[in-house]
Amino acid sequence: MAAAATEPGEVGGGGRDGYYARVRAHLQRHRQPLIGSDVRGTAVVAFHVAADGRVSALVLQRSAGAAMLDAEALDLVHRASPLPPPPDGRARRLAVPIAFE
């Protein structure tokens, strides 16, 4: 399933409750260093978050320019799952940039 082209953020939600920021912080806590790599780039991953925090429909929306970074961005979301549940109990569609610097 291909993701629609969207800007990073909460798709269709505006993030007024700070949920997007909470998800980004949660992902940051699950990052692992890429040892021995000086490759840099930013991948954008898009996914659906269910009311209970389960992730589905995870796709690489924009490549970081290197296959190893793209794979790590997708693996990061898997490692961090489940995500914090949305505070209003409604499923969300998110697009999140994952920077490797």
Side-chain angles (χ1 to χ4, degrees):
M1 176 175 151
T6 59
E7 290 301 310
E10 188 169 345
V11 180
R16 287 180 284 276
D17 61 8
Y19 181 65
Y20 178 73
R22 285 181 48 222
V23 167
R24 289 198 59 176
H26 183 83
L27 290 172
Q28 187 65 26
R29 287 190 297 274
H30 288 83
R31 289 189 64 139
Q32 295 179 349
L34 293 175
I35 297 174
S37 174
D38 59 354
V39 179
R40 304 213 183 310
T42 300
V44 177
V45 292
F47 48 90
H48 178 88
V49 181
D52 64 358
R54 286 178 298 121
V55 172
S56 64
L58 173 63
V59 296
L60 180 67
Q61 184 172 307
R62 187 173 67 221
S63 175
M68 77 182 274
L69 299 183
D70 295 343
E72 175 56 23
L74 293 168
D75 289 346
L76 170 61
V77 177
H78 286 294
R79 273 195 311 275
S81 296
L83 299 176
D88 59 5
R90 293 182 15 217
R92 307 282 172 97
R93 180 85 182 145
L94 302 178
V96 179
I98 308 294
F100 299 94
E101 301 173 349

